[in-house]
C-alpha cells in the first residue's frame, strides 16, 4: 500500500510533479486526530527531533552550569544556515565550556545560506565545523559531556554517554523502544534512530504540553520551546521556513525540519503533536504539508494567515520574476 | 495507476526514501524496447530537449553564418554550471552575431556550480545572464534570430519566429502535435511543451540515428551530438553527471538532464532513444535510472563501467566522509 500523493507541483496549469507521503497528528494521550498514509512504519526523523536531543543538556544541569542563555538553547535545536550570528553563538557555547571548534565532530561544510557562503569565501577563509548546520546541537553535546564530567571525545558514537542520554530521551518522549542496530548515521555523524510517525507525533504532543513527561523533562521542553520562540532566527535563518513560521506564530507553534522530507511540530495550545515525511525526501513538499496542517489545525489571525497561506501554496517564479508554477496540497 | 518505484535511498540498511517514475526506450521505428510506468502522459521535458531546440540554429545556416564552432554548438545544448569557460563561450557566441549580454532574455542567477559562484562573488561582481545555466541556448536563439534576419527582441515568447521554429523542430522530431496552450514557462522564460515519454524517446532515437528525419535535420543532429561528444564539459560542467558520462562514453551516448527529474538520451550505435521522468522531480533519482539504463542497454568497457557503475548505485557520504547511505534501482 503506497502512501497517498500529498502535494502537487503545477506548471502551465498542468501537474508537473507530485509528492507522496504520510502525516500523523496526535494528542498527548496517543489519540490520532488526523493522519494520512502509513504512520506505523519507522522512519529516520533526522534533524526534526533536535529539541528532544537537546533535552539532556537542560535536564542534566549542564546548560545552567555553563550559563547557556536562550540564544544558545535555540541554537542547540537548530539546523541553521551558517550565517554569522549562528557561528557566533556556536562559538560562544563552546567557550562557555572552555572548549573550542576542534572539539566539534560534525565536520565542516560551506554555509547552506548561499549569500553567507559567498561572503565567507570573500573573507579568504573556508568553512569550519562552526558553519555546519548542526554546530549548535554539537556544541550542546560538548557542553553536555563537559557538564556531566565525561570526556567529550567521541561524543558522536552510539556508545558514548552523550548519545546514550540522547537515545534515552528519544525513547522516553516518544515511548518507542529503539532497538540496537535500528539506527543510521546522520549527516553530522551522530546516530539517527528509526521511529514511526505515530510515536514522533505523540512525542511532540508531549513536548508541547508536558503531559506524560516527568516534571523536570516537561520543564526542559518548555524552556527549549520558549528559547526558540524568542530566537526563531537562530533555529534556521534568513528566508527559512521554520524561522518565518515561528516569527509569525511565536510560542503557538514549534516547528522543526529534518532532512529527507521530515517535519515535526508541537502545538501547545491545541495539545497536539505533528510528524510527517514525504516519501521521496523532498523538503519543498514537506513544508507545504506542514503549512497546510498548521492552517487546518490552528485558528490564525490575519497577520499569521498572511505568512502561512503563501507557504502552504507557494508560487514559483523564474529568473525573470515570472510566475511559472505553484505547489498545492493534493485533494484527499 | 501510479508509476512504479524506480529508485530507493537507503540509510543504515533501511529504505529511507523512494522515487517513483516512468521511462521509455524506443527504436527509431517507434518500437518500445523497454518501459516502466505511464509513457503516454505528456510531461514537460524542460532542458532535456535542448539538442532539439538547437536544431534550427544549425539547419537555418545561422551557425555557419556566424562561424560557430563545436564549443558554441555544445554550449547551445547545455545546462551549464556557470563556470568561467561556459561564460566565455556564451559571450563569444553573442559577439559572433554582433550582440551582447543585454540581448539575453533568460535572466541572471548565480552560477549553479557553488565554487564558481563563490569565486565570482570574490571578484566583487554579481552574476549576469551569461551565468544563467541556459545562456548557451539563449545565445543560440539570438544567433538564430540574427542569422535569419529577425529582430531577436522578444525571442522567448511563443509567438516569436525563434520559438515557432523551435516548436516545429520539437513536433517534427518527436512526431507529437503540440497543441496551442499546452505549454508552461520554463525557468529561462521560454515555453516548454508537454510531450509523452514515448514520443520523446522516439525523438531521441531519431536524433541518434537520423532515421525518420530529413537529411538536413539528420545532419544537424549528428553535428550537435558530435560537438557535445567533443566538449562534454561545456554541456554541464565540473562534477556533473552528463559531463562525466559523456567524457567516458564519447559519441556512444548523448545524455541530457532536464529540470524536475527528466532525462533523455540518444544511443546511436544501438539505434535507441531514452526518455524518463521521476514523478517527484528528483534529479538524484533520474541520474540513477539513466545510469542504470545505460548499463543495461550498452556493452561497456571496463573503463566505461568504472564510471557508470558508481553513478547507478551512488554511495552517499556525510561531512566527515563516512558512508551514510546509498541509492539503488528498485527491484522491478
Amino acid at each position: 500500500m503506497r502512501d497517498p500523493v500529498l502535494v502537487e507541483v503545477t506548471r502551465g496549469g498542468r501537474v508537473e510533479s507530485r509528492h507522496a507521503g504520510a502525516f500523523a497528528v496526535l494528542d498527548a494521550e496517543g489519540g490520532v486526530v488526523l493522519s494520512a498514509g502509513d504512520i506505523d512504519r519507522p522512519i529516520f526523523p533526522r534533524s526534526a527531533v533536535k529539541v528532544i536531543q537537546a533535552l539532556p543538556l537542560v535536564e542534566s544541569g549542564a546548560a545552567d552550569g555553563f550559563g547557556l542563555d536562550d540564544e544558545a538553547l535555540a541554537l542547540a535545536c537548530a539546523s541553521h544556515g551558517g550565517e554569522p550570528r549562528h557561528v557566533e553563538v556556536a562559538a560562544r557555547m563552546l567557550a562557555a565550556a572552555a572548549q573550542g571548534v576542534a572539539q566539534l565532530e560534525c565536520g565542516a561544510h560551506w554555509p547552506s545560506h548561499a549569500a553567507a557562503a559567498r561572503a565567507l569565501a570573500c573573507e579568504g577563509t573556508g568553512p569550519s565545523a562552526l558553519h555546519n548546520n548542526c554546530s549548535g546541537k554539537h556544541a550542546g553535546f560538548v557542553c553536555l559531556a563537559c557538564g556531566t564530567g565525561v570526556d567529550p571525545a567521541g561524543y558522536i558514537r552510539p556508545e558514548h554517554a552523550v548519545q546514550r542520554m540522547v537515545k534515552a530521551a528519544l525513547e522516553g518522549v516518544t515511548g518507542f523502544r529503539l532497538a540496537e542496530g535500528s539506527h543510521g548515521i546522520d549527516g553530522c555523524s551522530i546516530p539517527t534512530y528509526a521511529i514511526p510517525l505515530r510515536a514522533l507525533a505523540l512525542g511532540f504532543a508531549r513536548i508541547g504540553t508536558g503531559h506524560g513527561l516527568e516534571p523536570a523533562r516537561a520543564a526542559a521542553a518548555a524552556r527549549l520551546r520558549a528559547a526558540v520562540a524568542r530566537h526563531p532566527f537562530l533555529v534556521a535563518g534568513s528566508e527559512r521556513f521554520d524561522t518565518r513560521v515561528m516569527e509569525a506564530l511565536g510560542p503557538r507553534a514549534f516547528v522543526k525540519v529534518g532532512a529527507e522530507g521530515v517535519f515535526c511540530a508541537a502545538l501547545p495550545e491545541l495539545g497536539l503533536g505533528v510528524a510527517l515525511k514525504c516519501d521521496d525526501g523532498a523538503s519543498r513538499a514537506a513544508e507545504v504539508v506542514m503549512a497546510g496542517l498548521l492552517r487546518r489545525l490552528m485558528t490564525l489571525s490575519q497577520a499569521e494567515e498572511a505568512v502561512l497561506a503563501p507557504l502552504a501554496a507557494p508560487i514559483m517564479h523564474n529568473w525573470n520574476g515570472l510566475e511559472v508554477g505553484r505547489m498545492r496540497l493534493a485533494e484527499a
Side-chain angles (χ1 to χ4, degrees), chain A:
Chain A
M1 188 61 182
R2 305 256 297 266
D3 285 332
V5 171
L6 298 180
V7 173
E8 293 173 332
V9 183
T10 66
R11 179 178 299 262
R14 181 187 295 273
V15 175
E16 180 170 29
S17 299
R18 40 184 67 71
H19 299 277
F23 63 79
V25 181
L26 267 75
D27 62 34
E29 308 298 321
V32 176
V33 172
L34 205 62
S35 80
D38 183 355
I39 66 171
D40 290 310
R41 177 172 47 90
I43 60 113
F44 290 123
R46 311 292 300 273
S47 289
V49 292
K50 277 177 174 163
V51 67
I52 302 177
Q53 292 169 325
L55 287 171
L57 174 65
V58 178
E59 292 173 24
S60 66
D64 283 332
F66 292 125
L68 299 187
D69 58 13
D70 280 346
E71 291 192 335
L73 294 182
L75 199 76
C77 300
S79 298
H80 63 72
E83 298 178 73
R85 201 170 144 218
H86 302 124
V87 173
E88 286 161 24
V89 175
R92 186 150 57 75
M93 292 170 73
L94 290 166
Q99 302 292 317
V101 61
Q103 225 50 59
L104 293 180
E105 299 180 5
C106 49
H109 66 73
W110 285 97
S112 61
H113 187 259
R118 294 193 298 264
L120 182 66
C122 297
E123 293 171 12
T125 57
S128 76
L130 292 171
H131 299 90
N132 187 305
N133 76 90
C134 299
S135 68
K137 176 176 74 175
H138 281 249
F141 288 155
V142 171
C143 288
L144 172 58
C146 294
T148 54
V150 173
D151 181 355
Y155 70 82
I156 58 175
R157 294 201 311 266
E159 63 275 16
H160 191 280
V162 162
Q163 295 307 326
R164 290 207 313 270
M165 286 187 270
V166 167
K167 185 184 177 192
L170 283 165
E171 288 189 319
V173 171
T174 66
F176 187 72
R177 170 108 177 80
L178 305 177
E180 290 299 325
S182 69
H183 69 274
I185 304 297
D186 213 323
C188 66
S189 293
I190 71 162
T192 179
Y193 292 92
I195 303 174
L197 292 175
R198 181 194 296 271
L200 289 166
L202 171 61
F204 274 82
R206 290 170 168 168
I207 288 288
T209 61
H211 296 316
L213 302 179
E214 301 160 35
R217 174 157 290 174
R223 188 164 159 199
L224 288 167
R225 283 192 292 105
V228 170
R230 282 189 201 109
H231 301 287
F233 176 84
L234 290 173
V235 87
S238 301
E239 303 111 41
R240 289 276 300 277
F241 180 95
D242 297 28
T243 295
R244 293 171 66 188
V245 167
M246 290 192 280
E247 281 177 349
L249 297 180
R252 298 188 68 199
F254 175 92
V255 300
K256 184 64 189 72
V257 69
E260 291 291 327
V262 178
F263 245 107
C264 290
L267 306 179
E269 67 189 21
L270 299 175
L272 300 176
V274 181
L276 68 90
K277 175 170 169 80
C278 288
D279 293 344
D280 54 58
S283 296
R284 66 177 184 181
E287 291 181 356
V288 168
V289 176
M290 179 53 82
L293 287 172
L294 294 175
R295 288 181 78 202
R296 182 164 169 183
L297 297 166
M298 299 177 75
T299 303
L300 299 176
S301 71
Q302 216 167 354
E304 291 167 339
E305 175 68 0
V307 173
L308 268 292
L311 295 174
I315 300 176
M316 298 176 296
H317 299 90
N318 72 4
W319 303 114
N320 282 323
L322 299 174
E323 175 179 334
V324 291
R326 297 191 172 221
M327 294 206 284
R328 65 187 184 201
L329 293 169
E331 297 299 319

PDB file of all heavy atoms in Angstrom, chain A residues 151-174:
ATOM      1  N   ASP A 151      34.458  12.847  29.186  1.00  0.00           N
ATOM      2  CA  ASP A 151      35.324  13.321  28.103  1.00  0.00           C
ATOM      3  C   ASP A 151      34.488  13.456  26.830  1.00  0.00           C
ATOM      4  O   ASP A 151      33.884  12.487  26.382  1.00  0.00           O
ATOM      5  CB  ASP A 151      36.453  12.308  27.881  1.00  0.00           C
ATOM      6  CG  ASP A 151      37.413  12.742  26.777  1.00  0.00           C
ATOM      7  OD1 ASP A 151      37.166  13.776  26.116  1.00  0.00           O
ATOM      8  OD2 ASP A 151      38.412  12.016  26.574  1.00  0.00           O
ATOM      9  N   PRO A 152      34.424  14.652  26.232  1.00  0.00           N
ATOM     10  CA  PRO A 152      33.593  14.798  25.031  1.00  0.00           C
ATOM     11  C   PRO A 152      34.108  14.017  23.825  1.00  0.00           C
ATOM     12  O   PRO A 152      33.318  13.758  22.903  1.00  0.00           O
ATOM     13  CB  PRO A 152      33.604  16.310  24.763  1.00  0.00           C
ATOM     14  CG  PRO A 152      34.749  16.856  25.527  1.00  0.00           C
ATOM     15  CD  PRO A 152      34.996  15.936  26.680  1.00  0.00           C
ATOM     16  N   ALA A 153      35.365  13.649  23.806  1.00  0.00           N
ATOM     17  CA  ALA A 153      35.916  12.981  22.620  1.00  0.00           C
ATOM     18  C   ALA A 153      35.071  11.766  22.252  1.00  0.00           C
ATOM     19  O   ALA A 153      34.785  10.918  23.103  1.00  0.00           O
ATOM     20  CB  ALA A 153      37.366  12.565  22.868  1.00  0.00           C
ATOM     21  N   GLY A 154      34.688  11.697  20.997  1.00  0.00           N
ATOM     22  CA  GLY A 154      33.901  10.560  20.532  1.00  0.00           C
ATOM     23  C   GLY A 154      32.425  10.674  20.853  1.00  0.00           C
ATOM     24  O   GLY A 154      31.684   9.686  20.765  1.00  0.00           O
ATOM     25  N   TYR A 155      31.963  11.886  21.168  1.00  0.00           N
ATOM     26  CA  TYR A 155      30.563  12.072  21.598  1.00  0.00           C
ATOM     27  C   TYR A 155      29.547  11.734  20.504  1.00  0.00           C
ATOM     28  O   TYR A 155      28.354  11.658  20.779  1.00  0.00           O
ATOM     29  CB  TYR A 155      30.333  13.505  22.099  1.00  0.00           C
ATOM     30  CG  TYR A 155      30.368  14.546  21.002  1.00  0.00           C
ATOM     31  CD1 TYR A 155      29.254  14.789  20.200  1.00  0.00           C
ATOM     32  CD2 TYR A 155      31.525  15.272  20.743  1.00  0.00           C
ATOM     33  CE1 TYR A 155      29.292  15.718  19.171  1.00  0.00           C
ATOM     34  CE2 TYR A 155      31.573  16.206  19.719  1.00  0.00           C
ATOM     35  CZ  TYR A 155      30.456  16.422  18.931  1.00  0.00           C
ATOM     36  OH  TYR A 155      30.500  17.318  17.905  1.00  0.00           O
ATOM     37  N   ILE A 156      30.009  11.563  19.278  1.00  0.00           N
ATOM     38  CA  ILE A 156      29.082  11.234  18.187  1.00  0.00           C
ATOM     39  C   ILE A 156      28.759   9.746  18.119  1.00  0.00           C
ATOM     40  O   ILE A 156      27.835   9.350  17.414  1.00  0.00           O
ATOM     41  CB  ILE A 156      29.645  11.688  16.810  1.00  0.00           C
ATOM     42  CG1 ILE A 156      31.006  11.029  16.540  1.00  0.00           C
ATOM     43  CG2 ILE A 156      29.728  13.196  16.743  1.00  0.00           C
ATOM     44  CD1 ILE A 156      31.573  11.327  15.158  1.00  0.00           C
ATOM     45  N   ARG A 157      29.502   8.914  18.854  1.00  0.00           N
ATOM     46  CA  ARG A 157      29.336   7.464  18.722  1.00  0.00           C
ATOM     47  C   ARG A 157      28.169   6.957  19.566  1.00  0.00           C
ATOM     48  O   ARG A 157      27.943   7.438  20.681  1.00  0.00           O
ATOM     49  CB  ARG A 157      30.625   6.752  19.125  1.00  0.00           C
ATOM     50  CG  ARG A 157      31.791   7.049  18.162  1.00  0.00           C
ATOM     51  CD  ARG A 157      32.874   5.983  18.262  1.00  0.00           C
ATOM     52  NE  ARG A 157      33.254   5.730  19.648  1.00  0.00           N
ATOM     53  CZ  ARG A 157      34.285   6.336  20.254  1.00  0.00           C
ATOM     54  NH1 ARG A 157      35.024   7.203  19.607  1.00  0.00           N
ATOM     55  NH2 ARG A 157      34.562   6.055  21.507  1.00  0.00           N
ATOM     56  N   PRO A 158      27.452   5.965  19.063  1.00  0.00           N
ATOM     57  CA  PRO A 158      26.260   5.467  19.775  1.00  0.00           C
ATOM     58  C   PRO A 158      26.556   5.028  21.205  1.00  0.00           C
ATOM     59  O   PRO A 158      25.699   5.168  22.082  1.00  0.00           O
ATOM     60  CB  PRO A 158      25.806   4.265  18.931  1.00  0.00           C
ATOM     61  CG  PRO A 158      26.422   4.451  17.590  1.00  0.00           C
ATOM     62  CD  PRO A 158      27.671   5.252  17.787  1.00  0.00           C
ATOM     63  N   GLU A 159      27.758   4.536  21.461  1.00  0.00           N
ATOM     64  CA  GLU A 159      28.071   4.001  22.783  1.00  0.00           C
ATOM     65  C   GLU A 159      28.577   5.069  23.756  1.00  0.00           C
ATOM     66  O   GLU A 159      28.745   4.795  24.952  1.00  0.00           O
ATOM     67  CB  GLU A 159      29.093   2.857  22.657  1.00  0.00           C
ATOM     68  CG  GLU A 159      30.460   3.248  22.103  1.00  0.00           C
ATOM     69  CD  GLU A 159      30.535   3.274  20.581  1.00  0.00           C
ATOM     70  OE1 GLU A 159      29.476   3.286  19.917  1.00  0.00           O
ATOM     71  OE2 GLU A 159      31.669   3.308  20.054  1.00  0.00           O
ATOM     72  N   HIS A 160      28.809   6.287  23.274  1.00  0.00           N
ATOM     73  CA  HIS A 160      29.270   7.373  24.148  1.00  0.00           C
ATOM     74  C   HIS A 160      28.132   7.796  25.084  1.00  0.00           C
ATOM     75  O   HIS A 160      26.958   7.726  24.717  1.00  0.00           O
ATOM     76  CB  HIS A 160      29.725   8.561  23.296  1.00  0.00           C
ATOM     77  CG  HIS A 160      30.447   9.627  24.062  1.00  0.00           C
ATOM     78  ND1 HIS A 160      29.793  10.579  24.810  1.00  0.00           N
ATOM     79  CD2 HIS A 160      31.769   9.900  24.186  1.00  0.00           C
ATOM     80  CE1 HIS A 160      30.682  11.392  25.357  1.00  0.00           C
ATOM     81  NE2 HIS A 160      31.899  11.006  24.999  1.00  0.00           N
ATOM     82  N   ALA A 161      28.503   8.229  26.279  1.00  0.00           N
ATOM     83  CA  ALA A 161      27.497   8.607  27.285  1.00  0.00           C
ATOM     84  C   ALA A 161      26.516   9.645  26.739  1.00  0.00           C
ATOM     85  O   ALA A 161      25.315   9.605  27.043  1.00  0.00           O
ATOM     86  CB  ALA A 161      28.200   9.150  28.537  1.00  0.00           C
ATOM     87  N   VAL A 162      27.015  10.588  25.924  1.00  0.00           N
ATOM     88  CA  VAL A 162      26.139  11.632  25.371  1.00  0.00           C
ATOM     89  C   VAL A 162      25.047  10.999  24.513  1.00  0.00           C
ATOM     90  O   VAL A 162      23.854  11.304  24.661  1.00  0.00           O
ATOM     91  CB  VAL A 162      26.964  12.656  24.557  1.00  0.00           C
ATOM     92  CG1 VAL A 162      26.059  13.470  23.626  1.00  0.00           C
ATOM     93  CG2 VAL A 162      27.724  13.588  25.494  1.00  0.00           C
ATOM     94  N   GLN A 163      25.433  10.118  23.608  1.00  0.00           N
ATOM     95  CA  GLN A 163      24.425   9.527  22.721  1.00  0.00           C
ATOM     96  C   GLN A 163      23.527   8.550  23.475  1.00  0.00           C
ATOM     97  O   GLN A 163      22.372   8.347  23.079  1.00  0.00           O
ATOM     98  CB  GLN A 163      25.071   8.855  21.501  1.00  0.00           C
ATOM     99  CG  GLN A 163      25.796   9.828  20.566  1.00  0.00           C
ATOM    100  CD  GLN A 163      24.924  10.997  20.119  1.00  0.00           C
ATOM    101  OE1 GLN A 163      23.714  10.868  19.933  1.00  0.00           O
ATOM    102  NE2 GLN A 163      25.536  12.172  19.972  1.00  0.00           N
ATOM    103  N   ARG A 164      24.026   7.969  24.558  1.00  0.00           N
ATOM    104  CA  ARG A 164      23.149   7.110  25.372  1.00  0.00           C
ATOM    105  C   ARG A 164      22.078   7.959  26.045  1.00  0.00           C
ATOM    106  O   ARG A 164      20.910   7.568  26.117  1.00  0.00           O
ATOM    107  CB  ARG A 164      23.964   6.311  26.391  1.00  0.00           C
ATOM    108  CG  ARG A 164      24.845   5.218  25.735  1.00  0.00           C
ATOM    109  CD  ARG A 164      25.123   4.046  26.676  1.00  0.00           C
ATOM    110  NE  ARG A 164      25.531   4.507  27.999  1.00  0.00           N
ATOM    111  CZ  ARG A 164      26.795   4.736  28.367  1.00  0.00           C
ATOM    112  NH1 ARG A 164      27.791   4.524  27.504  1.00  0.00           N
ATOM    113  NH2 ARG A 164      27.071   5.136  29.580  1.00  0.00           N
ATOM    114  N   MET A 165      22.458   9.147  26.514  1.00  0.00           N
ATOM    115  CA  MET A 165      21.460  10.051  27.118  1.00  0.00           C
ATOM    116  C   MET A 165      20.451  10.526  26.069  1.00  0.00           C
ATOM    117  O   MET A 165      19.249  10.626  26.345  1.00  0.00           O
ATOM    118  CB  MET A 165      22.156  11.263  27.757  1.00  0.00           C
ATOM    119  CG  MET A 165      22.882  10.931  29.059  1.00  0.00           C
ATOM    120  SD  MET A 165      23.538  12.428  29.901  1.00  0.00           S
ATOM    121  CE  MET A 165      25.172  12.542  29.167  1.00  0.00           C
ATOM    122  N   VAL A 166      20.947  10.823  24.878  1.00  0.00           N
ATOM    123  CA  VAL A 166      20.068  11.292  23.795  1.00  0.00           C
ATOM    124  C   VAL A 166      19.086  10.191  23.408  1.00  0.00           C
ATOM    125  O   VAL A 166      17.886  10.433  23.221  1.00  0.00           O
ATOM    126  CB  VAL A 166      20.912  11.734  22.578  1.00  0.00           C
ATOM    127  CG1 VAL A 166      20.038  11.920  21.349  1.00  0.00           C
ATOM    128  CG2 VAL A 166      21.678  13.011  22.904  1.00  0.00           C
ATOM    129  N   LYS A 167      19.592   8.965  23.320  1.00  0.00           N
ATOM    130  CA  LYS A 167      18.724   7.841  22.958  1.00  0.00           C
ATOM    131  C   LYS A 167      17.643   7.627  24.024  1.00  0.00           C
ATOM    132  O   LYS A 167      16.466   7.402  23.692  1.00  0.00           O
ATOM    133  CB  LYS A 167      19.566   6.569  22.792  1.00  0.00           C
ATOM    134  CG  LYS A 167      18.778   5.376  22.308  1.00  0.00           C
ATOM    135  CD  LYS A 167      19.656   4.119  22.259  1.00  0.00           C
ATOM    136  CE  LYS A 167      18.833   2.907  21.851  1.00  0.00           C
ATOM    137  NZ  LYS A 167      19.571   1.646  22.062  1.00  0.00           N
ATOM    138  N   ALA A 168      18.049   7.739  25.269  1.00  0.00           N
ATOM    139  CA  ALA A 168      17.072   7.557  26.353  1.00  0.00           C
ATOM    140  C   ALA A 168      15.995   8.641  26.295  1.00  0.00           C
ATOM    141  O   ALA A 168      14.809   8.375  26.546  1.00  0.00           O
ATOM    142  CB  ALA A 168      17.787   7.576  27.713  1.00  0.00           C
ATOM    143  N   ALA A 169      16.386   9.857  25.946  1.00  0.00           N
ATOM    144  CA  ALA A 169      15.404  10.940  25.834  1.00  0.00           C
ATOM    145  C   ALA A 169      14.432  10.655  24.695  1.00  0.00           C
ATOM    146  O   ALA A 169      13.218  10.849  24.834  1.00  0.00           O
ATOM    147  CB  ALA A 169      16.125  12.273  25.615  1.00  0.00           C
ATOM    148  N   LEU A 170      14.961  10.176  23.570  1.00  0.00           N
ATOM    149  CA  LEU A 170      14.093   9.849  22.435  1.00  0.00           C
ATOM    150  C   LEU A 170      13.102   8.756  22.809  1.00  0.00           C
ATOM    151  O   LEU A 170      11.911   8.827  22.471  1.00  0.00           O
ATOM    152  CB  LEU A 170      14.936   9.402  21.234  1.00  0.00           C
ATOM    153  CG  LEU A 170      15.636  10.518  20.455  1.00  0.00           C
ATOM    154  CD1 LEU A 170      16.721   9.943  19.539  1.00  0.00           C
ATOM    155  CD2 LEU A 170      14.628  11.314  19.634  1.00  0.00           C
ATOM    156  N   GLU A 171      13.597   7.729  23.508  1.00  0.00           N
ATOM    157  CA  GLU A 171      12.699   6.640  23.911  1.00  0.00           C
ATOM    158  C   GLU A 171      11.671   7.120  24.919  1.00  0.00           C
ATOM    159  O   GLU A 171      10.481   6.777  24.828  1.00  0.00           O
ATOM    160  CB  GLU A 171      13.514   5.484  24.508  1.00  0.00           C
ATOM    161  CG  GLU A 171      14.302   4.713  23.465  1.00  0.00           C
ATOM    162  CD  GLU A 171      14.933   3.446  24.042  1.00  0.00           C
ATOM    163  OE1 GLU A 171      15.455   3.490  25.184  1.00  0.00           O
ATOM    164  OE2 GLU A 171      14.915   2.421  23.340  1.00  0.00           O
ATOM    165  N   GLY A 172      12.126   7.933  25.873  1.00  0.00           N
ATOM    166  CA  GLY A 172      11.213   8.401  26.913  1.00  0.00           C
ATOM    167  C   GLY A 172      10.106   9.282  26.353  1.00  0.00           C
ATOM    168  O   GLY A 172       8.937   9.140  26.720  1.00  0.00           O
ATOM    169  N   VAL A 173      10.466  10.175  25.445  1.00  0.00           N
ATOM    170  CA  VAL A 173       9.491  11.135  24.933  1.00  0.00           C
ATOM    171  C   VAL A 173       8.534  10.479  23.946  1.00  0.00           C
ATOM    172  O   VAL A 173       7.330  10.741  23.959  1.00  0.00           O
ATOM    173  CB  VAL A 173      10.205  12.349  24.292  1.00  0.00           C
ATOM    174  CG1 VAL A 173       9.218  13.236  23.554  1.00  0.00           C
ATOM    175  CG2 VAL A 173      10.957  13.141  25.360  1.00  0.00           C
ATOM    176  N   THR A 174       9.062   9.622  23.076  1.00  0.00           N
ATOM    177  CA  THR A 174       8.204   9.025  22.040  1.00  0.00           C
ATOM    178  C   THR A 174       7.542   7.742  22.515  1.00  0.00           C
ATOM    179  O   THR A 174       6.572   7.281  21.895  1.00  0.00           O
ATOM    180  CB  THR A 174       9.005   8.692  20.765  1.00  0.00           C
ATOM    181  OG1 THR A 174       9.956   7.656  21.080  1.00  0.00           O
ATOM    182  CG2 THR A 174       9.719   9.917  20.228  1.00  0.00           C
TER     183      THR A 174
END
